[in-house]
Amino acid sequence: MAHLSELAAEPQRLSNAYQNWYRFSRNPSAVIGTAIVIICILTAIFAPLITPYPEHVGAVVNFRERHLPPSADYWFGTDNVGRDIFTRVVFGMRISLLLALVVLATAVPVGTVLGLLAGYYGGWVEIVIMRFTDIALAIPGLVMVMAVAAVLSPDLLTSMIAIAALWWTWHARLIYSITRQTRVQDYIEAAETLGASKFHILFREILPNCVSALAVKTSLDAGFVILIGSTLSFLGLGIQPPTPDLGTMVASGAAFLPSYWWESVLPGCAILFVSLGFNLLGDGLRDMFDVEDVR
């Protein structure tokens, strides 16, 4: 009987999936955002193949070609030591995407599990988890990240730790809210009555109701994580030279504004480009899943 019911429900699931995809594909900003994200990911993956001077990623010095404007040889110009800015922007984008991937791969599962536990069990479990979450959320995000980054040695790993230490709280709050609404539903009470395990109820019954909100928030957060990481590097608390980082490039190029504007403006445009892509993608997913108030 269960097998027959699953077969009967399959057309409905396919119909819902098609409707969701149709709404997403009819949203111009969502399609543009998806295209931007795909371009950025592919560019980062194939960076060594598409950049003209991959050796300029390191501590290369070529003073005879320093401060050259954008041209056919150097698409984004060169920096103050003669390195190709386009090459360093592409590799810097790779590092920014890696930062977002590691931070969200750490923060999302941690926040999700804690939010599920607090929302379902209530009592002292809820008090401990959510009060700790509230304390973390009360601290200005950038200030907390800067404090963690200042204590540890500034590098890529430090940036990941600093941002992940903050970011799980937002997901814990989101999943807690959804779990509190879901745990009083009739099908949850029926599963409990039938003797279903807590693990089954949390991860097979409640968690699927959180997937759409998680997808939207994760997409939106990717852009913000990249902005926070670039801000840390801009302030000297993130990734250090000669490793190419978009925030570091903006900071070093700012010393030569406005004469050599491309050294700062073009890396800044790269940050804008990738952040815009994730935000448009997140907005498209929010419209597709009809999710509200994920922040």
Side-chain angles (χ1 to χ4, degrees):
M1 292 295 292
H3 180 65
L4 293 176
S5 63
E6 291 177 1
L7 290 177
E10 187 66 23
Q12 181 63 36
R13 286 198 295 266
L14 292 175
S15 176
N16 291 338
Y18 177 79
Q19 291 175 11
N20 289 336
W21 169 249
Y22 180 78
R23 286 199 298 268
F24 184 84
S25 62
R26 298 292 294 178
N27 187 333
S29 62
V31 175
I32 293 173
T34 303
I36 292 175
V37 170
I38 292 174
I39 290 172
C40 291
I41 292 175
L42 292 178
T43 300
I45 292 174
F46 298 104
L49 301 178
I50 64 176
T51 51
Y53 306 98
E55 66 276 8
H56 287 193
V57 172
V60 174
V61 175
N62 185 8
F63 287 113
R64 287 182 297 181
E65 296 186 348
R66 62 196 301 259
H67 298 310
L68 293 181
S71 64
D73 293 329
Y74 299 104
W75 297 349
F76 285 6
T78 61
D79 61 12
N80 60 318
V81 294
R83 295 174 299 192
D84 179 48
I85 294 177
F86 174 76
T87 297
R88 295 182 62 80
V89 163
V90 171
F91 278 89
M93 188 178 298
R94 167 189 270 191
I95 292 177
S96 295
L97 292 174
L98 176 63
L99 173 67
L101 175 63
V102 173
V103 168
L104 294 176
T106 303
V108 173
V110 171
T112 298
V113 171
L114 293 177
L116 285 171
L117 294 176
Y120 180 75
Y121 285 101
W124 68 267
V125 176
E126 175 186 354
I127 292 174
V128 171
I129 294 176
M130 297 317 298
R131 294 301 75 80
F132 185 78
T133 302
D134 291 339
I135 292 173
L137 290 173
I139 304 174
L142 184 58
V143 173
M144 181 175 178
V145 172
M146 289 174 60
V148 175
V151 171
L152 303 175
S153 59
D155 53 25
L156 179 59
L157 180 60
T158 298
S159 299
M160 293 176 179
I161 295 173
I163 300 175
L166 162 73
W167 225 265
W168 67 267
T169 56
W170 300 100
H171 292 271
R173 172 60 68 181
L174 172 66
I175 300 304
Y176 166 77
S177 177
I178 298 175
T179 303
R180 291 284 295 177
Q181 299 173 11
T182 306
R183 68 187 295 267
V184 298
Q185 299 296 319
D186 293 338
Y187 70 92
I188 300 298
E189 296 180 0
E192 293 173 338
T193 303
L194 292 173
S197 66
K198 302 299 184 183
F199 182 89
H200 175 88
I201 293 173
L202 286 172
F203 294 98
R204 297 295 299 274
E205 303 293 343
I206 297 179
L207 183 59
N209 293 280
C210 308
V211 170
S212 57
L214 276 176
V216 174
K217 182 162 183 59
T218 301
S219 298
L220 293 171
D221 281 355
F224 284 99
V225 169
I226 291 172
L227 284 175
I228 293 293
S230 298
T231 301
L232 285 177
S233 298
F234 181 85
L235 297 174
L237 297 174
I239 302 167
Q240 299 298 301
T243 302
D245 180 81
L246 298 178
T248 304
M249 295 172 68
V250 172
S252 61
F256 303 101
L257 287 173
S259 300
Y260 308 117
W261 57 267
W262 55 87
E263 297 182 24
S264 182
V265 171
L266 295 182
C269 289
I271 298 173
L272 174 63
F273 184 71
V274 65
S275 301
L276 176 64
F278 279 110
N279 277 275
L280 291 177
L281 174 60
D283 288 338
L285 291 175
R286 180 165 52 192
D287 293 340
M288 182 179 74
F289 293 124
D290 195 21
V291 175
E292 298 180 357
D293 300 328
V294 297
R295 285 211 164 272

